[in-house]
Amino acid sequence: MTELTDLDDFLKQNVNGYLFADLEAMKAITLKPGEVVGAVGYPLLMATFAGIELLGTLVSTSPFSNKDGRRYFSSFWTEYLYKDAPQRDMGEPVYELARHGLMHLYAVKCNITVTKGEPDKHLRQDKSNNVIYIDSVQLADDLMSSYTNHVRPLLTKTDGSTMAQRLTEMRKWYAEKTKEPVESWSKTLPYYVIPLLTVPQSGKCSTESPASSGSALPLKK
């Protein structure tokens, strides 16, 4: 399998498959009667933030570093997501005030209000109360559009090789980072985990795991 084919498979499974499918599923959830907050607005925003950072990592022209998440997020926001829009310079404050708060404490910092399905408020400030709005649906839509219109076309250019290299570097780093804990868990888990047994048509027992319901970064053997 060539690196470009591997990259294309990763994008189809992890971006189109897991990420965008989950974004669409969360977009469709609405508030129940009598409720005024919720409807997975925060999880939708968190998944979108992760997607921005992932794509920013893949399109980066410099080697992968796990310490450059802020730069990957901000550069993708500026150069791809809102390149020609008034919101172009909002990537840094959004990363600091919304992304950090949600990912670590499930709360946004400062006077930020997360809406869902109110596109007219998206990334606008209400000066009467100094509130900045982020619409989770609109940001998800903008990310998916940016991917389709600006990222996918890179695969047919020399940028595709660069993206493939970033993916290889990411996998290498995660493989090295998780090697020790995985080896440690493999010694400990059998004492606490009961294997999931399945009985195939042959009648012989198997301990094969079912397909994952979530996404993990596939590591090449």
Side-chain angles (χ1 to χ4, degrees):
M1 180 182 290
T2 66
E3 284 192 336
L4 284 177
T5 300
D6 192 29
L7 171 66
D8 192 50
D9 288 343
F10 174 82
L11 293 175
K12 288 177 180 177
Q13 176 174 318
N14 284 64
V15 177
N16 286 104
Y18 287 120
L19 176 62
F20 289 171
D22 283 349
L23 294 185
E24 292 292 356
M26 287 188 281
K27 281 171 51 182
I29 297 175
T30 58
L31 289 170
K32 296 179 181 179
E35 293 182 345
V36 294
V37 295
V40 299
Y42 276 7
L44 174 56
L45 197 57
M46 293 166 70
T48 303
F49 285 159
I52 293 172
E53 189 168 327
L54 169 63
L55 295 181
T57 301
L58 291 176
V59 299
S60 174
T61 56
S62 58
F64 171 74
S65 170
N66 69 302
K67 299 179 181 179
D68 283 347
R70 177 189 293 269
R71 179 171 64 84
Y72 296 141
F73 183 100
S74 300
S75 62
F76 188 83
W77 183 290
T78 300
E79 299 171 18
Y80 292 87
L81 191 59
Y82 293 114
K83 182 177 181 179
D84 300 313
Q87 302 91 339
R88 185 176 187 272
D89 297 325
M90 295 183 70
E92 276 284 344
V94 167
Y95 185 87
E96 178 64 33
L97 300 175
R99 185 269 182 197
H100 273 4
L102 285 178
M103 294 299 188
H104 297 297
L105 299 173
Y106 208 69
V108 290
K109 303 177 183 179
C110 195
N111 297 334
I112 291 179
T113 295
V114 177
T115 60
K116 188 177 184 187
E118 299 184 59
D120 292 341
K121 292 183 177 180
H122 182 54
L123 297 177
R124 295 180 182 275
Q125 181 182 29
D126 185 342
K127 294 186 177 181
S128 65
N129 54 14
N130 200 32
V131 169
I132 298 173
Y133 294 95
I134 301 177
D135 190 79
S136 56
V137 171
Q138 188 60 55
L139 188 62
D141 284 341
D142 291 343
L143 175 63
M144 290 187 282
S145 295
S146 177
Y147 173 77
T148 300
N149 296 328
H150 304 299
V151 177
R152 285 294 306 182
L154 296 178
L155 296 181
T156 59
K157 302 177 182 179
T158 55
D159 305 89
S161 297
T162 303
M163 291 173 65
Q165 181 61 33
R166 296 294 87 82
L167 178 60
T168 298
E169 293 163 355
M170 287 169 57
R171 283 175 163 156
K172 181 179 179 181
W173 185 86
Y174 279 106
E176 294 175 350
K177 184 71 174 179
T178 58
K179 181 179 180 180
E180 184 175 338
V182 166
E183 290 177 348
S184 176
W185 296 341
S186 67
K187 298 176 183 178
T188 306
L189 286 177
Y191 295 99
Y192 301 102
V193 179
I194 300 174
L196 176 63
L197 300 180
T198 59
V199 182
Q201 291 182 353
S202 63
K204 297 181 180 179
C205 290
S206 170
T207 57
E208 292 183 0
S209 299
S212 172
S213 60
S215 173
L217 186 66
L219 301 177
K220 291 191 70 177
K221 295 182 180 179

